[in-house]
Amino acid sequence: MILANGWRLLIALILYICLSFGGEIFESVDTDKACYNPGDTVRFSLHLQEQPEGSHLFVSYRHLFQRIDSISIPVINQEINWFWLPPGEDYRGYLIEIILMNNENTIDRINIGVDVSSDWRKYPRYGFLSKFPNTTTEQRESIINRLNRYHINGLQFYDWHWKHHRPLCGAVDNPAYTWNDIANRKIYRETVEGYISLAHAKNMKTMAYNLIYGAYEDASNDGAQDTWRLFTDQAHQYPDKHDLPESWASDIYLMDPGNSIWQNYINNEMNKVFQAFNFDGWHMDQLGYRGTRYDYSGNAVNISGSFRGFIEQSKNTLKVSLVLNAVDQYGQPEIAVSPVDFLYTEVWSETTYSGLAGIIHSNNNYSNNQLSSILAAYVNKGISDTPGTLNTAAVLLVDAVIFANGGAHLELGEHILCNEYFPVDNLEMSEKLVAQLISYYDFLVAYENILRDYPQPILFGIMTDSGIVLSKSAQKDKVWVFAGQAGDIQIYHFINFIGVSTMDWRDPQGIQASPQKLFDLPLMIKADSTVSRVWTASPDTNQGSPVGLDFTQAGDTLSFTLPRLHYWSAVVVEFDNSPSVVQTEAVKMPVGIKLGNNYPNPFNPATSIPFIINKDGKIIFKVINLKGQTVFETESFYRAGNHEIHFNAENFCSGIYMYSISNENATCYKKMLLIK
C-alpha cells in the first residue's frame, strides 16, 4: 500500500529539491536563545549576503515530520528579524525551514532548530569555557553567540578558580580582581562574571568546575588538614597525589571524599563561590580509579562508594545543580542514584564506536531512563599537542554515534575539545566541519523527542538486496543499523562505516576517512501493523529536513528505498494503530498507486508520466508549483494496470514543479524540471 499525506509530503519534497538548486545568498540564521521556556517567543535573525529584488521568505515550522505553521516574509533588506510563538507544550524540538524565493523560483534555503524545554536536565547540550584572560565584552559576546548557534544550553567553566581547596580568591563581598589558577594563568574576575551574564541571557546554565577531593600541597595553611588526605600506604607516609608540571602552582593532593569533615569544609568553600558569583551549579570532577587507597588511620577507602553521600551532602548544603564526572565510568552506578542533573562520562578505555553507545545505554540502565548522558570524548587527542586541523570524518562519526544513541558530546567551547586539559587549542575546525556541526546540533535539537526520549530497543529485523552488508554492531565496511520504538513510531538509525580507515573512534593520529556515500539503498523491514507514513532525515543532507518516502506493505513486510546515506540517516516508520483500523489481510495488501519518474526530465515542453494502479477508478492528476499552488489539474477514469499521462507545459515558466496522482486510497508525488 502506498500511503502519504499529500500536503506534508509535498512540502518535504519541495525542501528536498531546494537543496540541489539552492544558491549562496543566506549567510547565517540565529535565534536569541539556546532554548526556550513554554510561552516564550523566539526571535530569529537572518543575514543575507545580498538582497534579491522582489524576493520573499517562505518559513515553515516543523515538529518531526508535521508542518505546524508557516509564514511568508518580504525581503526588504539584508538583515531580517521576525518572531514566532511555539505551541505551549514543554520539552519539544522544532525544525524551522527558511526558503528564499523570487516569483516561482527558489534561490536559497537554510534551517535552524528550536528547543522548548523548561529544564535543561531533559536535553542537556553541554559546552565549556576554559580561558578567562582580560577580554573585551565584544570578544566574550562573539564566543557565547557562537555557542548559542549550536544550541549549547549549559557551560562548564573549567579551571576558572584559584585553588582547588579554596576556589574563591578574596572575600565573598569583594572577590579579587585577578588571580592565578593552578597552571599559573591569570584569571580575570570581569571575564568570568561577563561570561556568566552573557550565558544567562541566552538561557544557558553555568557550572563552576572543581574537584571533589583536590587540595594544594600547602592546603593546611588554609585549614584543610593533612589528616583528611588519601594515602597509598597504611602508615600514611605517602599521600596520594596527581603530579603536575613543575611550573604549576602545586601538584594535586587528594582528600578522602567520604570524610564528613572534608565534605563540610569543601562545601563551605564552594558556598562562598555561589555567594560571590552567579553560577548555577557545580561541575564536580574526580580522577577515576586509583587502586587501593587508605585514610590517615590506615583503613581502606571505598572512594566510589562515597560519591552518593558526597553529592547528597553537597545538594543539601548548596542547593544548586550538580554534575559529577564518572571518569571511565568509575562510580557511575552510585552517581546515577544521586541528585545530579545528568550523567557525565569522560571516556578512556572504550575505544570502539559500539563502546560509546554502550556507555550511554549503561547510563540509561543505571538511572532507570531518568538521566541524560553527556560524553567527554577527545577525538584526535594524539595530535592535539601540535597545531593542525581536526579530522572532519572522525568528529562526525563520533557525533553520529553519540547523538543517534540518545547522548550528547562535550566538544564545543572557545575551540573544539581534543584534550583532557581543556585550554589546549592546537586543532582547528575546517569551515566545512563548522557548517556540518551546526547541522548536527540543529538535528539533535529538532529531533530530540525521538533521539533522547529513551525509545525502547527493538530487535534487528531489516534486510537489503543491494549487496551492502547491514550489521547490528559497528563494524568496518558495513552499515550499522539499530532501532527503537516510542508509541506508534519506530526509529531506524543507519550509521555508515563503509570505506572508513579505522574503527577506533578516537582516531588519535587523524587518519579517519569519510564513509563512502550510498544512494538508493533498497530496504525491507518486518511490520506487523499498518504503516501510515515512512520518512527519513539526516544531518548530512537537506540540512536535516524530513523527506517522505514511497513505500509498499505486503503482509508483514515493509519495503522502501533510502535515497542517500553518508554518515548517518534516520528512518521513521509511523503506524496507524487507531481502534478504527481493522488488521486484516485485505488491509495489508498493496492497494493504490505506483508513480514513475516523468520522461524526459528535464523537459521542454512535453513529458510523459507513467503510473500503475491495481484497482479501477478515478485518478486525479495535478501539477503544483513551489508555492504549493495547483497550476494544472485533470480527472479521468482508468482501469487497473499500466498507464501514462502526457503533459504539455508550453504555457508554463521554467522551473521545478511537483506532479501528483491520487485516488481514494493514496496520493503520490514526484518532481520534474521544465527548462525553456
Side-chain angles (χ1 to χ4, degrees), residues 460-671:
F460 183 89
I462 187 164
M463 299 177 292
T464 181
D465 57 7
S466 65
I468 299 297
V469 179
L470 308 179
S471 172
K472 48 183 147 176
S473 61
Q475 298 183 42
K476 195 173 186 300
D477 294 323
K478 297 180 182 180
V479 175
W480 183 18
V481 185
F482 52 92
Q485 180 142 359
D488 290 343
I489 67 171
Q490 291 180 348
I491 309 100
Y492 290 82
H493 294 284
F494 299 80
I495 299 180
N496 185 11
F497 293 104
I498 296 177
V500 301
S501 307
T502 175
M503 293 302 291
D504 183 343
W505 65 262
R506 301 169 302 171
D507 186 29
Q509 299 306 311
I511 64 169
Q512 185 63 286
S514 174
Q516 174 189 334
K517 294 179 182 178
L518 305 177
F519 298 93
D520 297 327
L521 182 63
L523 296 166
M524 291 162 284
I525 294 173
K526 181 178 175 59
D528 294 325
S529 301
T530 301
V531 174
S532 60
R533 179 163 52 208
V534 181
W535 53 277
T536 184
S538 169
D540 303 317
T541 186
N542 209 19
Q543 299 186 51
S545 286
V547 177
L549 301 179
D550 290 340
F551 66 91
T552 61
Q553 187 175 8
D556 62 356
T557 300
L558 175 72
S559 301
F560 60 91
T561 297
L562 181 62
R564 187 178 186 272
L565 173 61
H566 191 193
Y567 291 92
W568 167 35
S569 289
V571 170
V572 177
V573 179
E574 299 184 13
F575 295 93
D576 185 357
N577 286 331
S578 61
S580 61
V581 175
V582 180
Q583 299 295 334
T584 66
E585 196 62 24
V587 172
K588 293 182 181 179
M589 290 299 292
V591 177
I593 312 163
K594 183 169 184 180
L595 179 61
N597 294 318
N598 67 300
Y599 63 93
N601 189 35
F603 67 98
N604 179 27
T607 188
S608 297
I609 295 137
F611 66 95
I612 303 172
I613 56 173
N614 61 0
K615 181 181 179 182
D616 296 351
K618 290 183 179 180
I619 291 293
I620 300 173
F621 171 71
K622 292 183 180 181
V623 177
I624 305 146
N625 64 24
L626 288 182
K627 289 184 177 181
Q629 299 167 329
T630 299
V631 294
F632 180 84
E633 181 175 347
T634 184
E635 180 179 318
S636 300
F637 180 88
Y638 290 88
R639 297 287 184 186
N642 295 274
H643 302 277
E644 279 190 356
I645 292 174
H646 303 285
F647 173 64
N648 191 303
E650 185 175 358
N651 297 323
F652 291 83
C653 299
S654 297
I656 304 164
Y657 293 87
M658 307 300 300
Y659 60 91
S660 73
I661 60 171
S662 59
N663 63 10
E664 60 184 8
N665 295 307
T667 301
C668 297
Y669 290 90
K670 287 188 180 293
K671 68 177 183 288

Side-chain angles (χ1 to χ4, degrees), residues 110-299:
I110 195 168
N111 289 355
I112 190 168
V114 168
D115 175 22
V116 177
S117 294
S118 61
D119 191 330
W120 82 309
R121 292 176 295 180
K122 180 72 171 176
Y123 304 120
R125 297 175 296 278
Y126 211 19
F128 70 93
L129 295 169
S130 63
K131 300 175 183 180
F132 308 96
N134 189 18
T135 57
T136 65
T137 299
E138 290 74 19
Q139 289 171 323
R140 296 191 292 267
E141 285 178 342
S142 176
I143 290 172
I144 295 298
N145 287 341
R146 184 169 63 85
L147 293 173
N148 182 71
R149 181 58 189 89
Y150 292 102
H151 314 289
I152 299 300
N153 59 2
L155 291 171
Q156 177 187 155
F157 282 59
Y158 179 91
D159 274 8
W160 68 277
H161 53 284
W162 182 32
K163 301 177 181 180
H164 286 76
H165 65 278
R166 192 175 178 185
L168 179 66
C169 185
V172 167
D173 56 356
N174 187 28
Y177 180 69
T178 65
W179 60 88
N180 284 359
D181 73 352
I182 194 169
N184 280 317
R185 301 180 307 158
K186 182 170 284 190
I187 307 297
Y188 283 76
R189 183 187 75 195
E190 182 180 6
T191 299
V192 175
E193 291 177 332
Y195 273 137
I196 293 173
S197 178
L198 289 168
H200 285 165
K202 299 293 186 183
N203 210 9
M204 300 175 183
K205 297 296 184 182
T206 56
M207 303 290 285
Y209 172 93
N210 196 11
L211 283 162
I212 63 171
Y213 53 17
Y216 281 19
E217 183 175 11
D218 61 356
S220 59
N221 294 335
D222 296 317
Q225 301 302 311
D226 293 348
T227 55
W228 304 345
R229 289 179 174 178
L230 291 172
F231 298 87
T232 60
D233 68 312
Q234 290 183 289
H236 58 254
Q237 296 299 302
Y238 302 100
D240 189 16
K241 66 186 179 73
H242 180 65
D243 294 330
L244 292 172
E246 290 186 5
S247 60
W248 289 32
S250 172
D251 295 327
I252 297 177
Y253 287 76
L254 302 190
M255 298 295 194
D256 178 5
N259 184 312
S260 61
I261 304 175
W262 164 252
Q263 290 179 5
N264 291 334
Y265 174 92
I266 191 61
N267 278 315
N268 181 60
E269 294 299 321
M270 287 302 298
N271 191 46
K272 295 175 184 177
V273 167
F274 294 114
Q275 292 180 62
F277 292 91
N278 196 24
F279 284 115
D280 297 293
W282 180 2
H283 180 98
M284 301 169 153
D285 199 10
Q286 48 140 324
L287 299 177
Y289 178 66
R290 307 287 295 173
T292 302
R293 293 294 185 264
Y294 304 92
D295 63 16
Y296 190 82
S297 299
N299 301 308

